[in-house]
Amino acid sequence: MESVWRDLRFAARALCKSPGFTLVAVFTLAIGIGSSSAIFSVVDAVLIETPPYRDPDRLVLLWHRMLGLGTERARISGPDVVEFESAAASFEGFAFTNGTVDLVLEDQGAEEHARVGLVTPDFFSVLGVDPVAGRTFLPDEALLSPGALQDTAFTPPPSALVLSHALWQRRFGGDPGAIGRVIRLSGAPMTVVGVLPPEFELLLPPGVGLAREADAWTPLRVPLASFRRAEGLRDQDSDNTGAVIGRLAPGVTLERARAEMEAIAARQRGEVPYYRNADMRIQLAPIQDDAVRHARPALLALLGAVGFVLLIACLNIANLLLARGTKRQAEMALRSTLGASRARLVRQVLTEGGLLATLGAICGILIAIWGVDLLLAIGPRDLPGVGEVGVNGAVLAFTLASTAAAAVLFSVAPAWALAWRTKAETLKEAGPRGGGGRRGRLRRGFVVTEIALSIALLVGAGLMFRSFARLQRVDLGFEPAGLLTFQVTLPGASIGGPGARAAFMSRLEGGVRRVPGVRSVGLVGGLPLSGVVFTQPYGLEGSSEAGWSRNEANFRVVTAEYFQAMGTRLLSGRLFTAAENVIEDERVVIVDAKLARRVSPEGSAVGRRIGVPLDGDPVWATIVGVVEDVPFQDLRRAGRETIYAPYRQEASRTVTMAVRVDGAPAGLIPAIRRAASELETDTPIPLHGFRSMEEYVGHALAPTRFALALLSLFAGLALVLAIVGLFGVISYAVSQNTREFGVRMALGANAKQVLRQVLFGGLALAGLGGALGLLLALATSRALSTLLFGVTGTDALTYAVVVLVLVGVAGLACWVPARRAASLEPAVALRHE
């Protein structure tokens, strides 16, 4: 220990004597270690951290996979869950949620918007979530018979309500006395029975039309057996379908459960025509794997990219240590002559490397803390577990492992070079012309590797840039600028049937339209890119029932002015009239251009009829207009065809208002709230979720923008480090060969020849590294394939631009030392020591 302590003190003194070298090395390491630790913090929270459930490895998500429709994750209907519970022996239990409803929470005279999740009573027991206060739901709690709900004289008892930890703190101040309190949600009384832990999060993948977050949870009031299942021409109502979470029985493998569910699916295909025609399968996946599947490729690609940056940083420091070792040859020669063994000298080099790595890690942790805040600011909002991202014990352990690996990586080359040198060689190379040979080859090899890694990162960043540019040019079918949106949820107690709801919505639209600065107002059942999924089968004239089952379209109810508000162009026919908003005279629909081509491939679709299911019977509607295509689910995929119906024909309780305004959309929010409050209603109507349409588009672009920003940052850092390394190698070579240049120039070589020799030597290294980098990029571009849009991993333009960038920056890095060599005076060069 005393010997180790002496080595540490000597290493500290040696680093203090070279403050420039020490600062550059520590800063380079801090960037590499800090950025890798920040990225790992996200990877750990999203991909590695255990979900906050009991035995989460036994939880699986179940979805319908409709092969005939090309649908990967279709929600499952209530009766199917009942059949699973009776027929699937591989499972201990099933939990079901069919989404959330937006309500007004009323308590002691105060009101606020609340999003309430609807679940089966055993939902939290299946997940294995224990409350921090009170209890969760009891078996069969609050379940009512379907007949009771139809009895107008029946007054249902208050339902149970479990609060999220955030709502408990925000609304009740964390008061334990909130348990047992009766509050009202849009007029309906509910009893608070428990509070969930702060870390609770429902793990669901995006794009399934179900919210992962809720302010509170309440049990479904009717048994799942009473839900309607899609059979024949019946519509698969989104209120009757949802996400299913199954808990495997102890000792049951996922493969066994999949085999059992496939047998159940085969039986259902034989019994349910819709399932048979859609070629239904039941898909099972571990809950965490399924919830983060969309994020895994991007996060692993970013972790690999930052690993490249850390490796380049280590190679750069190894180069610095090799150059510094050349300058310390006299010291090493003297120590060797005085009796220091080869192992003693190697240990000293490794000790200096370890001290450098430690200093770099300390600074790297500070950079990681700042980097985590930056990642949370620019990252997508739909990453499960993102709230747990931070510098925790796992991240510190990763930082420690990275530090140890870095210390070995950049110390082993100088130590190896020293270990292979004999004492006579050490004394011989301690002269003024030492430092070539093996060390020179190592340094050049390091630079070639750095350039290759940086070029691979540049290609990845270039491909992401091209993808992002293509995504921004996608034809949205609407104009997001100047468009304000908000959600409206109508309570059932105060506003009754479809006619009353349509009349109220017409009044609300009129009130908002009168607000100064509002140009047009429209209503839609589910806004594009909002995550709302509502689809229906449809039929063409003359098609069979099987043909209906193989057709699936987005189904949206809208009011007459919706398309003007959105800026969606009418291609042919007409839009809905104001009367069709409130009066159902005849069934009419508007379709998008994609469906119009399906209905009438060679002529106009206007005037043709299309069938939609309603309560088990086919209902035929006349197409009165065709509008341009709009991507409802995702900018990356063409998506389904779309059918638009007048709001009166469905009259959903939860809708979205689209308001076209002059000026900044946010400035009109108070006036719109006042206009809604002036409408006479028995129960407050919650207006919530005010967002500009540009925010929805930005959210759709967020994953690609996130990956592009980080890959560009890492590629830029890598290129700078690689070019600095190239500059250092060429500059060092010039300084070591100054006498040679003097001799050549004294014998008649001119400045241009010296310039050309140095410049070509540096460009040869850059060219070799670039060629290897392009090959590496071709090999690794497959990892980015799921992130790319509109380009391939072999995009010629991207590779050409990267080559041009390499030639430019490498030429600049080599030009400066080459000019210095060419400007040497022969007499001065010959006297150089």
Side-chain angles (χ1 to χ4, degrees), residues 160-448:
L161 191 71
V162 171
L163 305 179
S164 69
H165 194 273
L167 180 62
W168 183 48
Q169 292 291 329
R170 182 178 71 247
R171 185 68 191 86
F172 302 98
D175 180 13
I179 306 300
R181 182 183 298 181
V182 177
I183 61 176
R184 303 187 77 83
L185 285 169
S186 293
M190 295 195 178
T191 303
V192 177
V193 299
V195 179
L196 296 176
E199 67 275 8
F200 173 76
E201 180 181 13
L202 179 56
L203 292 180
L204 289 176
V208 296
L210 296 168
R212 293 190 298 110
E213 298 177 354
D215 298 304
W217 304 83
T218 190
L220 291 163
R221 308 221 67 176
V222 295
L224 294 182
S226 66
F227 283 22
R228 187 176 64 235
R229 180 165 59 187
E231 297 180 6
L233 299 182
R234 290 189 179 181
D235 54 335
Q236 186 160 332
D237 193 329
S238 62
D239 291 341
N240 300 327
T241 62
V244 179
I245 302 171
R247 175 170 288 277
L248 297 175
V252 174
T253 64
L254 185 60
E255 290 71 21
R256 175 182 163 186
R258 282 174 174 160
E260 185 175 44
M261 296 309 294
E262 177 51 38
I264 294 175
R267 185 171 64 251
Q268 289 181 335
R269 287 196 300 273
E271 298 171 351
V272 182
Y274 175 74
Y275 290 167
R276 180 169 60 254
N277 297 329
D279 197 8
M280 182 273 292
R281 299 290 192 273
I282 298 176
Q283 177 175 292
L284 280 72
I287 187 168
Q288 185 177 24
D289 291 350
D290 201 31
V292 303
R293 187 175 67 181
H294 67 291
R296 181 178 287 105
L299 291 179
L300 293 181
L302 290 174
L303 188 63
V306 81
F308 277 15
V309 174
L310 180 58
L311 179 56
I312 292 172
C314 292
L315 294 174
N316 238 348
I317 296 174
N319 253 335
L320 290 173
L321 287 173
L322 284 171
R324 188 165 177 265
T326 302
K327 295 180 179 179
R328 295 177 63 188
Q329 285 177 7
E331 171 203 333
M332 292 298 182
L334 180 60
R335 296 186 69 193
S336 177
T337 302
L338 293 176
S341 65
R342 183 177 296 170
R344 188 72 174 80
L345 297 178
V346 168
R347 192 176 74 187
Q348 183 60 51
V349 173
L350 294 176
T351 301
E352 291 182 17
L355 186 57
L356 271 179
T358 302
L359 294 174
I362 294 172
C363 297
I365 291 174
L366 299 177
I367 292 177
I369 294 173
W370 172 80
V372 165
D373 293 336
L374 176 63
L375 292 176
L376 293 177
I378 68 174
R381 304 295 182 187
D382 61 354
L383 288 178
V386 72
E388 302 300 319
V389 174
V391 179
N392 52 25
V395 176
L396 291 177
F398 175 83
T399 303
L400 180 62
S402 300
T403 302
V408 172
L409 281 173
F410 65 71
S411 299
V412 70
W416 178 80
L418 180 65
W420 278 85
R421 188 175 292 110
T422 64
K423 188 178 296 186
E425 289 173 333
T426 303
L427 290 169
K428 179 181 178 181
E429 294 188 12
R433 297 186 60 189
R438 186 181 297 112
R439 286 193 180 191
R441 289 192 296 273
L442 272 176
R443 298 194 67 202
R444 289 191 293 272
F446 288 162
V447 167
V448 168

Side-chain angles (χ1 to χ4, degrees), residues 17 41 127 184 186 217-218 223 320 327 516 602 612 693 786:
K17 288 179 181 178
S41 69
L127 284 179
R184 303 187 77 83
S186 293
W217 304 83
T218 190
L320 290 173
K327 295 180 179 179
E602 299 178 354
V612 293
M693 197 64 211
T786 58

